[in-house]
Amino acid sequence: MGTRSFLAFLGVCAVIALLAFGLLSKGSATIEIGDRAPDKVLPTLGGGGSGSLADHRGEWVLVNLWASWCEPCRDEAPALEDFYRANRDRDLVVVGINVQDNSEDARAFVGEFRPTYPQLRSVGDERSEAYGSTGVPENFLVDPRGRLALIQRGPVDERFLREYVEPLIDGGRG
Amino acid sequence: MRRLPATVALVGLLVLGIATAPPAPAAAEQARVQISDVEDEVMCPVCGTLLELADSPQARREKALVRRLIDEGKSKDEIKDELVVQYGDDVLAVPEGSGFDLSAYLVPAIALLLAVIALAVGIGRWRRDDDSRRGPPPPGPADDGDAARLDADIARYDL
């Protein structure tokens, strides 16, 4: 191979490596049941503090990714609040993570639905990417050891929570 | 000399008038950021397109935020800074000058540099090849001695 051919080959390799790096660095994570739940300390939505899933280690955590502009998020909000109120004495907590939103709209959403469970805020969709999320809402049940027990890529309602989430919690507790 | 105090007073009034005059409405209007100035430089992060092309629920809320910031008198840079605070770096349509995004600037610059070098080398080679095809350079003008000898030769062979 001549010097020119070798340099051309190196150039092509460099361009392919650059494109591959770009694609991989922008890609979303893939998560599965049994994986450790992605976690990060995030500011609380109201400001003045921070929180993470690690704060609830030893409890079941239902992570709810939501945004104020998302209609299904509005639809599921009352069911999530009811579920939290009914189960908070049974080592279960719901943690809302606001994503892909602006803080003022998000606070207005909280003012409207008044959830009593913790609300964290992720700037942009960094948390969505960590969960391999493709939209909102998405819900993830995390067991007391911090591992994913259920992935629901879409909204939940009272029936879903009763039929799919509660049995896992009851089974885990048993 | 009697005119001096009057002149000073007049200049003073003029300076005061200029300093306290309200800005011209046209200038104030011109300084105000237009939503179209911002929309073509930021993204709808959920849609993955420019905000000006997007009409999703998230894009509509983002546009509402931009409009509110404009109404608050924020400059374009201030609005973009606030959008980054709210939506993260991905909201900027123009790549950043750091990290992997730096390649958006470096790659074209390096490509341009290589193209200029290749062009310069190519032109140099082309000129050398052209010179070698033409053969040796033509002789320069004859000096006085050569001219005299030439005249003598021509005279000798003159028929």
Side-chain angles (χ1 to χ4, degrees):
Chain A
M1 186 186 281
T3 307
R4 276 191 203 172
S5 304
F6 180 67
L7 287 175
F9 175 73
L10 273 186
V12 170
C13 287
V15 170
I16 291 172
L18 196 67
L19 290 173
F21 175 74
L23 286 174
L24 291 174
S25 64
K26 300 276 180 190
S28 290
T30 305
I31 56 167
E32 292 175 356
I33 289 173
D35 288 351
R36 184 161 290 284
D39 194 15
K40 186 181 181 183
V41 176
L42 295 170
T44 55
L45 182 56
S50 59
S52 71
L53 303 190
D55 298 341
H56 305 286
R57 191 58 47 85
E59 294 177 284
W60 288 86
V61 183
L62 182 60
V63 179
N64 170 239
L65 300 184
W66 65 274
S68 64
W69 46 265
C70 148
E71 279 302 321
C73 301
R74 307 180 78 81
D75 295 341
E76 71 174 359
L80 285 167
E81 174 64 11
D82 290 346
F83 184 69
Y84 172 61
R85 284 175 183 268
N87 291 283
R88 63 183 163 187
D89 294 333
R90 302 167 62 196
D91 291 336
L92 178 131
V93 64
V94 178
V95 174
I97 301 181
N98 175 242
V99 296
Q100 303 168 343
D101 211 346
N102 72 68
S103 51
E104 188 171 314
D105 287 350
R107 280 196 294 270
F109 181 99
V110 168
E112 182 179 347
F113 291 98
R114 302 198 172 280
T116 53
Y117 51 85
Q119 293 287 347
L120 305 176
R121 175 166 157 73
S122 169
V123 171
D125 56 1
E126 183 267 336
R127 279 295 84 188
S128 303
E129 287 176 0
Y131 277 90
S133 172
T134 54
V136 278
E138 290 194 359
N139 293 275
F140 305 86
L141 183 66
V142 182
D143 71 17
R145 295 174 303 139
R147 300 200 175 271
L148 289 163
L150 179 73
I151 297 173
Q152 165 65 355
R153 299 207 179 273
V156 296
D157 56 15
E158 187 269 331
R159 189 181 67 84
F160 182 92
L161 293 168
R162 189 180 63 246
E163 292 184 5
Y164 293 96
V165 178
E166 279 188 0
L168 286 170
I169 295 169
D170 291 339
R173 191 174 285 119
Chain B
M1 292 296 281
R2 240 184 289 162
R3 283 184 180 172
L4 189 61
T7 309
V8 169
L10 187 62
V11 169
L13 282 172
L14 277 172
V15 168
L16 195 65
I18 290 168
T20 57
E29 192 62 33
Q30 200 173 15
R32 188 182 161 91
V33 177
Q34 301 295 311
I35 189 163
S36 55
D37 294 338
V38 180
E39 279 184 340
D40 62 355
E41 291 183 23
V42 297
M43 302 289 287
C44 162
V46 173
C47 331
T49 63
L50 280 176
L51 185 58
E52 67 176 354
L53 303 174
D55 191 35
S56 66
Q58 191 269 325
R60 286 197 286 272
R61 294 311 304 156
E62 191 178 337
K63 287 178 183 181
L65 175 62
V66 172
R67 261 185 242 108
R68 183 169 63 74
L69 294 170
I70 289 173
D71 291 342
E72 288 174 8
K74 296 276 200 308
S75 69
K76 187 156 83 170
D77 285 343
E78 287 172 332
I79 292 170
K80 287 165 79 173
D81 288 347
E82 178 62 21
L83 290 175
V84 169
V85 168
Q86 294 293 341
Y87 297 107
D89 291 334
D90 289 346
V91 80
L92 296 177
V94 180
E96 278 187 294
S98 62
F100 177 75
D101 289 345
L102 188 60
S103 62
Y105 299 103
L106 282 183
V107 170
I110 292 170
L112 185 68
L113 186 67
L114 289 176
V116 168
I117 292 171
L119 199 64
V121 170
I123 288 174
R125 278 188 188 169
W126 174 71
R127 290 183 65 177
R128 277 198 300 277
D129 290 349
D130 199 40
D131 289 349
S132 63
R133 269 200 299 273
R134 275 192 210 141
D143 58 19
D144 289 347
D146 289 339
R149 202 163 47 247
L150 184 63
D151 287 344
D153 287 346
I154 289 171
R156 198 180 313 143
Y157 293 106
D158 195 9
L159 297 177

